[in-house]
Amino acid sequence: MTYRHEWKHEINLSDMISLRQRLRAVAKTDSHAINGAYEIRSLYFDNLSDKALREKLDGIGRREKFRIRYYNGDTSLIHLEKKSKLDGLGTKESAVLTKEQAQAIVDGDYVWMTHTDNPLIAELYYKMTVQQLRPKTIVDYTREPYIFPAGNVRVTLDYNIRTGLLCTDFLNPECVTIPAGETPIILEVKWDAYLPDVIRDAIQLSGRRPCAFSKYAACRIYG
């Protein structure tokens, strides 16, 4: 399991416009983006005592969370993901789900998971059984992604963060989401062993410091 460095910064619209110009001059837009961006819909899991939420809010250095995700409304490719954090480092494990499998999880049908040979799906089933993990809420947002090969750098601008409240019917395109309060724009920077100077210079913003913003936590603002 390889951990990557991760920085997050809360920024404003003026910052984002400036960053766009700089990043477009030195980095490439992700090939999966449409007109420079894509829409992300995720379904996050937590247990009855909100373990994932509490660990995030309490600043626990070692933690994990599970989610199911698809892009641009395309449910033909759905990923189950496990995000793990170790202090300032992060890693992600992923497995592909069919639309039927994802819907079964939303509907509370977990029997099919007992027959899987995928270790991540098996781990989710185990934790749904032992820790009582359950789908908790939908998180929608827009992402502008930039990539830079040296250092395996990925820079993203995330905004228009919306919450499904307690709704978990995330495959339903008619599911209503609402703004998750007064959320900022989030600059995320991820890299492997080193962050090239050209990217470090491009993302410099006066008065901005790394933060620990969580879209999932922001989307739990109403419950």
Side-chain angles (χ1 to χ4, degrees):
M1 186 181 298
T2 302
Y3 280 84
R4 282 161 55 80
H5 298 270
E6 296 185 4
W7 279 351
K8 291 184 181 180
H9 302 259
E10 296 183 13
I11 64 175
N12 57 35
L13 181 58
S14 177
D15 294 331
M16 183 169 72
I17 292 171
S18 176
L19 285 167
R20 272 184 186 147
Q21 294 175 336
R22 297 186 219 162
L23 289 168
R24 288 171 181 173
V26 298
K28 296 181 179 179
T29 300
D30 190 311
S31 60
H32 296 97
I34 299 174
N35 295 322
Y38 46 70
E39 302 298 323
I40 297 177
R41 169 162 285 192
S42 300
L43 176 64
Y44 280 81
F45 292 74
D46 214 332
N47 66 7
L48 294 176
S49 61
D50 290 327
K51 178 177 181 290
L53 177 63
R54 296 300 174 189
E55 288 182 347
K56 174 61 181 179
L57 296 177
D58 292 344
I60 303 300
R62 184 187 292 270
R63 59 186 186 273
E64 67 183 29
K65 60 188 174 189
F66 285 84
R67 68 190 180 205
I68 305 175
R69 169 173 289 189
Y70 61 93
Y71 300 85
N72 293 323
D74 181 6
T75 57
S76 67
L77 181 60
I78 302 172
H79 286 100
L80 166 65
E81 297 178 345
K82 174 188 173 183
K83 286 287 300 277
S84 301
K85 295 298 289 289
L86 179 60
D87 298 322
L89 303 174
T91 190
K92 180 173 70 175
E93 300 168 70
S94 180
V96 174
L97 296 177
T98 66
K99 184 176 180 180
E100 292 74 22
Q101 289 171 335
Q103 188 63 55
I105 292 175
V106 171
D107 293 339
D109 175 11
Y110 315 130
V111 175
W112 66 272
M113 301 171 76
T114 63
H115 308 295
T116 184
D117 58 0
N118 185 286
L120 187 60
I121 296 174
E123 181 180 354
L124 176 61
Y125 174 74
Y126 172 78
K127 290 180 176 176
M128 293 179 83
T129 302
V130 174
Q131 296 181 6
Q132 296 298 300
L133 280 186
R134 293 292 184 270
K136 198 70 172 186
T137 192
I138 293 169
V139 176
D140 286 346
Y141 60 95
T142 303
R143 165 164 285 177
E144 293 184 23
Y146 300 88
I147 56 177
F148 191 82
N152 190 24
V153 178
R154 185 173 181 83
V155 181
T156 56
L157 302 170
D158 297 340
Y159 51 92
N160 192 26
I161 301 169
R162 301 176 65 84
T163 175
L165 301 175
L166 299 179
C167 176
T168 59
D169 192 14
F170 92 132
L171 292 176
N172 180 0
E174 303 302 321
C175 178
V176 175
T177 58
I178 64 173
E182 297 295 327
T183 53
I185 299 166
I186 302 300
L187 164 67
E188 290 191 16
V189 188
K190 299 179 182 179
W191 71 96
D192 288 346
Y194 70 99
L195 182 62
D197 288 343
V198 65
I199 297 296
R200 190 183 297 272
D201 291 343
I203 62 173
Q204 287 299 315
L205 293 169
S206 177
R208 303 299 180 189
R209 297 290 183 271
C211 68
F213 184 88
S214 166
K215 299 180 192 72
Y216 170 60
C219 287
R220 291 293 307 279
I221 186 173
Y222 300 113

